[in-house]
Amino acid sequence: MPRQPLELAPFRGLRYANGDLDRFIDGEFDLARLLAPPYDVPDAEEARALQRSDPHNAARVTLPFELSRHSTDGTEGTVPRRYRAAAALLHDWVDTGVLTLDPLPALYVYEQVTADGRRQRGLIGDLRLPEDGDPSAVLPHEDVADAPVHDRFTLMRVARANLEPIFLLYRGAGGAASITTETVTDPPLVETRTRDGAEHRLWAITDPDVHTRVAADLADRSALIADGHHRYAAYRRLRAAHTDPGWRHGLALLVDSDTHPPRLGAIHRVLPGLRTEDAIAAARTVAAVETVDRPSAHAFDTVEGPALLLASPEGDTHLVHDFDENALASAMPDRSPSWRHLPTAALHEVLLPLWNISEEAVRMVHDDPAEAVAAAHHEKGTAVIVPALDVHLVYEIAAQGELTPRKSTSFGPKPRTGLVMRLLDTSDR
């Protein structure tokens, strides 16, 4: 069966209106106050801070209000109250003009420039979803868990909206989609700077002839999910569960990795309660372990194969490498050699069972080794510093139909939530 073409269709974006005088600073609309990171990046404290920062911050709908540990989440019918509250809030913002629909269907060019000068541009549009069982042009590279998929499925179903785009990569330098993305010169619809120092700009491409050229260019290409596996799985589940044509697409940002190689960071682990000396002793039964100066990515420069750093709450650091190939093969008999040699595969399939640690007990820390060590100190446990993967290895594993262990990659820069959303019910607005 031939696979479905890669299709990114224009849509009428739902965006913040700029008429609220309370959000003008030095004569300029301060959109940055309303934007948020993707829903799964903030921890609970950061999410509460975002929700308190402005009554219309996007996190108020993407992160349904968490109730206290001592309260129960009441339901109305079969849907927890927090999802209904978030959906009602979103549609109240639409009804009161906080959010407005653009008048014409568009593909949106989105530019990010990070504080350290990294520039990324991509196209935001309606990603066509395959029917169940049909080959897809979109390749996942990471496994998913059911709970976050169900969470996003429920929120989007009740809100009847895609609240934030997933992040896709494709190889397309020189094609019409890439050219369209790179050559837009009109003044942007949106230009703002968020607290992390990143600049964000958004343009709308409404010319149907350009849409046609982009569609023809993308049709024979494929895309890799960089971020948003759980949301993509929720898109697929919504498409399968509903006959409404609106669910045949999902909101996506498509970035040409030939033109804009992504930043590929690591996601470190914190193992609460695991004494580092016990972790080291067990690791020595399947790998070489040696002391290093500090938890730095440079420790991986001189070793091949899977390698990890174990850091104690006091900062003592040990490099775990040169894993026993028989141990890797025994733990992962049905996996390819490239998959077995992923650091997260060695961690989750070999070391965690040795340490008698369940995946549910593992805490994740994005990018910053020092933050992971600090968290290990707080949790009286051990930090596991994981090296970043190479994007070409991720493409290779996805192309051969394998999925990396969950949270093996941290692609960036991730799209900011709130710049443009997608509402299913647009015919009467």
Side-chain angles (χ1 to χ4, degrees):
M1 179 184 298
R3 72 162 175 80
Q4 170 189 289
L6 178 62
E7 178 185 305
L8 198 70
F11 71 107
R12 292 177 64 196
L14 182 69
R15 299 190 296 112
Y16 281 106
N18 63 358
D20 188 339
L21 295 179
D22 290 340
R23 293 189 185 82
F24 277 77
I25 295 178
D26 297 330
E28 301 250 337
F29 179 59
D30 185 25
L31 176 65
R33 285 176 52 183
L34 306 179
L35 305 181
Y39 82 100
D40 56 347
V41 171
D43 61 23
E45 183 176 341
E46 291 166 339
R48 286 192 292 270
L50 284 166
Q51 292 167 346
R52 289 193 298 264
S53 67
D54 192 283
H56 298 114
N57 187 279
R60 287 181 166 258
V61 293
T62 61
L63 291 165
F65 296 109
E66 294 294 334
L67 302 171
S68 75
R69 293 181 182 179
H70 304 293
S71 65
T72 57
D73 186 7
T75 61
E76 181 181 330
T78 60
V79 178
R81 184 185 303 145
R82 65 184 182 276
Y83 296 111
R84 293 186 180 276
L89 185 61
L90 174 74
H91 289 277
D92 178 69
W93 291 354
V94 174
D95 292 341
T96 57
V98 174
L99 295 170
T100 60
L101 280 166
D102 283 335
L104 296 173
L107 292 173
Y108 295 86
V109 175
Y110 174 32
E111 178 181 86
Q112 296 163 272
V113 182
T114 62
D116 61 1
R118 179 183 292 271
R119 176 178 167 275
Q120 177 176 280
R121 275 193 181 189
L123 284 175
I124 296 177
D126 261 5
L127 175 71
R128 183 183 170 193
L129 304 170
E131 294 188 39
D132 273 355
D134 286 355
S136 176
V138 176
L139 300 175
H141 77 269
E142 193 171 275
D143 203 357
V144 297
D146 186 67
V149 173
H150 182 71
D151 166 66
R152 294 297 98 180
F153 168 86
T154 305
L155 177 60
M156 288 189 282
R157 179 169 62 87
V158 176
R160 293 189 60 77
N162 299 147
L163 303 173
E164 48 190 344
I166 64 173
F167 177 16
L168 304 178
L169 298 173
Y170 79 112
R171 291 163 167 160
S178 185
I179 291 171
T180 297
T181 304
E182 296 306 308
T183 57
V184 61
T185 57
D186 295 336
L189 298 173
V190 168
E191 187 167 13
T192 192
R193 184 191 298 268
T194 44
R195 286 186 179 181
D196 59 1
E199 300 171 9
H200 305 266
R201 297 179 183 87
L202 191 74
W203 293 264
I205 307 295
T206 58
D207 185 340
D209 290 337
V210 176
H211 298 165
T212 299
R213 290 197 295 271
V214 169
D217 175 49
L218 294 179
D220 292 330
R221 303 185 188 273
S222 60
L224 176 77
I225 301 176
D227 188 65
H229 285 82
H230 291 97
R231 281 166 283 165
Y232 181 71
Y235 288 170
R236 297 286 303 269
R237 191 175 293 183
L238 286 161
R239 199 229 190 282
H242 298 281
T243 58
D244 187 329
W247 295 119
R248 295 175 188 168
H249 293 80
L251 190 61
L253 166 67
L254 184 65
V255 172
D256 174 11
S257 62
D258 291 332
T259 303
H260 298 288
R263 179 186 59 78
L264 186 47
I267 304 178
H268 309 300
R269 272 63 169 169
V270 177
L271 311 178
L274 177 64
R275 297 192 333 147
T276 306
E277 52 266 41
D278 294 338
I280 291 170
R284 288 190 193 279
T285 66
V286 293
V289 180
E290 58 186 83
T291 304
V292 296
D293 290 339
R294 62 187 183 278
S296 165
H298 294 299
F300 302 113
D301 292 346
T302 59
V303 296
E304 295 183 1
L308 304 155
L309 290 174
L310 302 182
S312 72
E314 295 75 33
D316 297 332
T317 308
H318 291 77
L319 176 66
V320 181
H321 65 105
D322 194 18
F323 277 79
D324 184 326
E325 290 293 335
N326 290 329
L328 295 176
S330 176
M332 299 167 268
D334 300 324
R335 299 292 189 175
S336 68
S338 56
W339 199 95
R340 290 176 193 162
H341 286 82
L342 292 171
T344 48
L347 172 62
H348 285 265
E349 301 298 326
V350 176
L351 292 179
L352 289 187
L354 276 179
W355 296 333
N356 197 28
I357 299 285
S358 69
E359 291 201 17
E360 291 73 20
V362 177
R363 281 192 53 191
M364 307 290 180
V365 174
H366 287 251
D367 297 324
D368 188 354
E371 183 181 342
V373 174
H377 180 82
H378 179 74
E379 299 281 358
K380 297 180 172 59
T382 297
V384 181
I385 308 305
V386 181
L389 299 182
D390 183 274
V391 66
H392 299 293
L393 176 60
V394 179
Y395 271 122
E396 175 191 326
I397 288 174
Q400 61 195 28
E402 291 185 296
L403 302 175
T404 66
R406 288 194 303 116
K407 301 299 181 183
S408 288
T409 60
S410 178
F411 280 94
K414 302 180 193 300
R416 205 70 173 179
T417 296
L419 280 168
V420 61
M421 295 173 260
R422 173 179 178 259
L423 199 65
L424 263 70
D425 303 316
T426 62
S427 60
D428 57 345
R429 297 183 186 276

